[in-house]
Amino acid sequence: MRTRRIDYPRAGRTGPRRWLPSWRQVLGSFLACVGAVAAAVGYAYATVTIPDPNPSTLLQNNVYYWSDGTVLATDGSVNRQNVTLAQVPPDVQGAFIAAENASFYTDPGIDPQGIARAVVHMAGGGSVQSGSTITQQFVKNTYLDQSQTLSRKFRELLISAKIGASMSKQRILQGYLNTCYFGRQANGIEAAARVYYGLPVEKLTVSQGAFLAAAVNEPSLFQYADTDPRARARAQARWSWVLDRMAGTGRLTRQKHDRIAAAGFPAPRKWTSGSGLTGQSGYLVQLARSYVQEHDPGITDSGLSRGGYQIHTTFDRRRTAQLAKAVAEVRAERLDPAHRAADRDVQAGAASVDPATGRILAVYGGPGYQRAHYADNADTSGVPVGSTFKPVVLASALRYGAVLKPGTSPAPITPGSRFDGDDGIRIKDQQGDYVTDDKDPTGLLHQHNDTAHRWGYITLRQAMEQSVNTPYVQLGEDVGYGDVARTARALGLRSASLAAPSAGFYIGTSTPSAIRMAGAYATFAASGMRAAPYSVTKVTHDGAVLPGFTAPAPVRALPAAVADNVTGVLRGVITRGTGTRAQALGRTAAGKTGTTDDYRSAWFIGYTRQLATSVVLFKEDPAHPQLRSLVGVGGLRKVFGGDIPTEIWTRYMRDALAGLPDLPFPAPPSLGHGTDEPGLPSPSPSPAPAHARHDGRPGRRTTAPAAPRPGLPGGHPKCRPHKCR
């Protein structure tokens, strides 16, 4: 009988044993597989060549375009000045080695343990991991692209092994330090030394070198360690870790470590952005850059720093200039910081959005990077919105109804529903219990308005027009935090910006940005269709159009009947309420004023069919970021949203809408019969007494008949007790 070369299935065996391979067969198969893999790797290693350095990764910048196709700004051109390793102090070299690759001088250029960790991570469904040595990072930065694929990673390993065997460690380390990205548009350690400390690399201290070694780990955050408390805390923790690693790996004596640590964190200097980003350009570029990275996570800080991107934005050059001009003119006319202390550190922010598309057409972020103002006031969360939040509460009530009696279903609400508008009333929750307040001597919340005027039961329309708080706080409690927050999110306000449940929530303790608030009001202007605000229309890289930047499609956020009724109410704010200054626009418009607790901010948000714009005024010392009272600003005893912010809004909107038709809003349909708050007294046959009415202009008072509407300018949320208009 002929002998088989491979005894499988195994002869002389029966049943399952016939199909079980012997240990020799298992061992042989394993060795054959290992041999095949080794042969394949060996062949790949033998045939792979070290490519030439890629010049396109060294000599490109990014171009940002206005909506009309003209160049807005350039950024991301490689800020790099190569240095020799001899120019880098040895202790600074040691900081990078300790932080990134402690075995650098002894390993072959790759780290088997790091590779194993990456493989395990990827096998578990995670993204491609690096496990990178300094040699691998040098190879990736100099010879390859930044794609996170297995083929690119395998090639990186082969080239790293080859370079590790053929290139000196000093040359590798020098190349690594010259190609690292440190944030602040700095590529290479020389550029980093200058942008963070204003020094050539030769003069860096060990402590400063440890910070730069830390910055490589998270450059997009650590670049703000001069102004952002969160970034500074993270950077300080990483810096301390680098010093500990240096001591632990023998690159720093314990005595020197302790001396450096005792001297404290080497805070980087203020960041002065690259040339060309003057006026509003810096804020526009940062908005577009953030949008690009949010919608394509593959576009990293490091990738943008290498350039080659063409970013087309929604920003309208003419309207951006008009918005900046309106702010500058009103500031010049109303503020005098040289002679009036109250006018110092007053800041403005504004944003303008197309209601139909969501395109961000213009922003005013501040005086500009050239004046060391880097925070974008239009995109900053942290300034309470005051009574400009009341339309959100009204929209929620019109849509979901309100629980006016414990245990009952939500009752229908309309703008004509009447609620108690008196000052100092107690507020009840949906269970009929009084809302408590630990700051009130009675233990109960006594809600306050901006004045002690006795309004009695007034319609929600009138309460909105005159910015009376008590009806909207009670209405908010009756609708419920959940439904109001749901409406806010549907309008585009981010959950993180919404205040926690409290009476103040319903009258504006939340802190959405000016851009988000303009987008929310744009939804009212578009009859409930929400087009998410966006800033980028197209991105190309090396001539190829990148996917993921299609304009967001409008979605139904509110029923048209609800949105149009809110607009009808907000039109009354301008025609006979706290926003009468906006009548100077001479167009059909709707809007709302807002002023916050202790006059820490003042808002006006208004819109026509074609344009929604928000304007915020607040006071903050850049060196001590904390909101301060606007009392006394512009020589005014109180600063309301119906004053300076409305003036800025009106001037800008007049220019921005020039040449466009005055379009009417859709007529708000009837919502049927609305329900009043329980306790409404029977109508009195005697007429109400006349009262003094403030028409929203300082120094003018007129006598008005019944149905009192004092119309003090503004809108103001205060919680416990609250005096918000």
Side-chain angles (χ1 to χ4, degrees):
M1 186 177 71
R2 190 176 64 174
T3 303
R4 292 187 298 171
R5 187 177 299 275
I6 299 176
D7 183 23
Y8 193 84
R10 298 172 66 189
R13 301 289 193 276
T14 60
R17 296 182 62 195
R18 175 177 173 79
W19 301 96
L20 291 175
S22 67
W23 67 269
R24 291 185 180 86
Q25 291 172 329
V26 172
L27 179 60
S29 298
F30 174 76
L31 293 176
C33 290
V34 170
V37 171
V41 171
Y43 177 79
Y45 178 82
T47 56
V48 74
T49 58
I50 300 174
D52 293 329
N54 184 1
S56 66
T57 64
L58 305 175
L59 300 174
Q60 296 188 79
N61 61 6
N62 302 309
V63 183
Y64 296 80
Y65 298 93
W66 292 103
S67 59
D68 63 3
T70 58
V71 174
L72 161 64
T74 60
D75 123 302
S77 58
V78 177
N79 178 18
R80 176 189 288 110
Q81 302 87 40
N82 288 337
V83 294
T84 65
L85 192 61
Q87 293 175 265
V88 184
D91 283 342
V92 174
Q93 298 177 35
F96 285 85
I97 292 171
E100 295 293 315
N101 184 189
S103 62
F104 169 71
Y105 278 107
T106 58
D107 65 40
I110 58 176
D111 177 9
Q113 290 183 342
I115 295 171
R117 286 193 302 270
V119 169
V120 170
H121 183 86
M122 288 183 288
S127 59
V128 178
Q129 297 281 292
S130 65
S132 296
T133 62
I134 283 177
T135 304
Q136 288 174 253
Q137 294 180 61
F138 165 61
V139 167
K140 180 176 66 174
N141 292 342
T142 306
Y143 302 101
L144 303 175
D145 58 34
Q146 301 296 308
S147 62
Q148 295 292 310
T149 63
L150 284 172
S151 60
R152 202 276 299 155
K153 188 67 181 176
F154 183 65
R155 193 159 177 252
E156 174 190 307
L157 292 172
L158 294 176
I159 296 174
S160 297
K162 203 156 225 181
I163 281 182
S166 61
M167 191 179 290
S168 71
K169 292 290 185 179
Q170 290 75 18
R171 185 178 169 191
I172 292 171
L173 182 59
Q174 175 179 298
Y176 165 77
L177 292 173
N178 279 325
T179 56
C180 279
Y181 178 64
F182 293 85
R184 297 190 176 189
Q185 303 175 2
N187 284 267
I189 194 169
E190 170 71 8
R194 292 187 180 276
V195 299
Y196 282 100
Y197 294 109
L199 298 170
V201 68
E202 297 97 323
K203 295 186 178 181
L204 284 177
T205 66
V206 182
S207 182
Q208 292 166 340
F211 171 83
L212 295 182
V216 169
N217 184 254
E218 203 170 1
S220 61
L221 177 64
F222 290 1
Q223 65 185 348
Y224 298 113
D226 57 333
T227 57
D228 185 338
R230 183 176 71 93
R232 185 185 179 99
R234 290 274 292 276
Q236 189 164 352
R238 178 75 180 179
W239 166 79
S240 181
W241 178 85
V242 172
L243 291 179
D244 290 342
R245 283 284 293 166
M246 292 181 72
T249 57
R251 297 192 175 277
L252 202 63
T253 65
R254 179 53 61 180
Q255 293 81 2
K256 193 170 185 179
H257 167 278
D258 293 344
R259 188 165 61 251
I260 294 170
F265 178 65
R269 69 176 187 167
K270 297 290 185 183
W271 180 18
T272 302
S273 185
S275 61
L277 298 182
T278 58
Q280 299 307 301
S281 297
Y283 309 120
L284 298 175
V285 165
Q286 185 56 46
L287 269 176
R289 187 182 177 109
S290 297
Y291 185 90
V292 166
Q293 292 186 277
E294 181 180 343
H295 287 76
D296 188 345
I299 301 177
T300 63
D301 283 325
S302 182
L304 280 169
S305 76
R306 288 174 174 79
Y309 290 92
Q310 295 80 46
I311 299 172
H312 298 259
T313 76
T314 62
F315 306 132
D316 184 301
R317 178 160 60 172
R318 178 178 62 88
R319 288 188 171 112
T320 297
Q322 289 167 341
L323 185 54
K325 175 173 171 281
V327 174
E329 287 179 349
V330 175
R331 288 184 67 99
E333 293 173 13
R334 302 294 301 276
L335 306 182
D336 186 10
H339 301 94
R340 191 162 46 223
D343 291 352
R344 295 166 193 162
D345 300 324
V346 175
Q347 300 188 36
S352 197
V353 173
D354 178 358
T357 64
R359 294 164 66 96
I360 302 174
L361 301 176
V363 301
Y364 180 83
Y369 284 11
Q370 77 278 11
R371 297 189 182 180
H373 185 97
Y374 305 112
D376 183 356
N377 292 345
D379 196 32
T380 297
S381 293
V383 182
V385 296
S387 287
T388 61
F389 195 77
K390 287 175 183 173
V392 179
V393 179
L394 178 61
S396 303
L398 300 184
R399 183 173 190 180
Y400 299 112
V403 177
L404 301 179
K405 294 181 181 179
T408 62
S409 299
I413 297 295
T414 71
S417 296
R418 294 178 176 270
F419 279 70
D420 191 351
D422 282 347
D423 182 63
I425 66 171
R426 292 180 294 180
I427 304 297
K428 290 184 177 181
D429 60 22
Q430 289 187 346
Q431 288 71 45
D433 299 323
Y434 286 117
V435 176
T436 60
D437 177 11
D438 55 10
K439 294 187 178 181
D440 191 289
T442 67
L444 299 177
L445 171 66
H446 288 76
Q447 180 62 48
H448 289 277
N449 300 316
D450 189 62
T451 69
H453 179 79
R454 297 187 63 83
W455 291 94
Y457 281 74
I458 57 173
T459 65
L460 294 174
R461 180 187 304 277
Q462 188 178 1
M464 183 75 76
E465 291 171 357
Q466 307 307 325
S467 210
V468 186
N469 292 324
T470 48
Y472 277 93
V473 175
Q474 184 59 66
L475 178 65
E477 289 287 348
D478 293 341
V479 175
Y481 179 87
D483 282 341
V484 175
R486 187 193 316 175
T487 299
R489 290 190 293 268
L491 291 170
L493 305 187
R494 290 175 170 162
S495 296
S497 70
L498 299 181
S502 72
F505 169 73
Y506 305 110
I507 46 175
T509 54
S510 296
T511 58
S513 69
I515 292 174
R516 290 282 164 177
M517 290 302 290
Y521 276 54
T523 305
F524 298 138
S527 294
M529 294 298 294
R530 176 180 176 259
Y534 71 104
S535 58
V536 173
T537 59
K538 183 175 72 171
V539 178
T540 63
H541 185 251
D542 291 339
V545 178
L546 302 184
F549 295 97
T550 304
V555 297
R556 173 64 64 188
L558 291 174
V562 169
D564 291 341
N565 268 274
V566 171
T567 292
V569 172
L570 297 185
R571 288 192 64 191
V573 172
I574 292 177
T575 58
R576 55 183 171 271
T578 60
T580 53
R581 283 180 182 272
Q583 292 177 17
L585 177 62
R587 287 175 175 266
T588 303
K592 183 69 184 80
T593 58
T595 309
T596 58
D597 187 20
D598 297 329
Y599 306 96
R600 290 179 300 139
S601 64
W603 292 74
F604 185 76
I605 310 175
Y607 55 93
T608 65
R609 287 277 300 279
Q610 303 103 319
L611 200 59
T613 301
S614 62
V615 178
V616 59
L617 198 73
F618 61 96
K619 188 172 179 179
E620 185 178 71
D621 180 354
H624 304 89
Q626 185 174 2
L627 293 180
R628 294 154 56 193
S629 175
L630 291 168
V631 169
V633 168
L636 301 172
R637 186 174 63 86
K638 297 179 180 180
V639 178
F640 291 99
D643 198 275
I644 296 175
T646 305
E647 239 184 278
I648 293 172
W649 181 89
T650 304
R651 292 198 189 196
Y652 162 69
M653 293 287 281
R654 185 188 300 134
D655 292 339
L657 294 168
L660 296 179
D662 181 9
L663 300 179
F665 291 112
S670 172
L671 297 177
H673 176 71
T675 312
D676 297 322
E677 180 185 10
L680 177 67
S682 300
S684 171
S686 58
H691 70 287
R693 177 182 182 273
H694 193 299
D695 68 356
R697 297 175 175 83
R700 289 186 58 191
R701 283 188 178 269
T702 58
T703 300
R709 293 181 177 131
L712 286 170
H716 179 124
K718 183 178 178 184
C719 200
R720 311 185 188 141
H722 299 277
K723 291 183 178 179
C724 312
R725 302 195 78 245

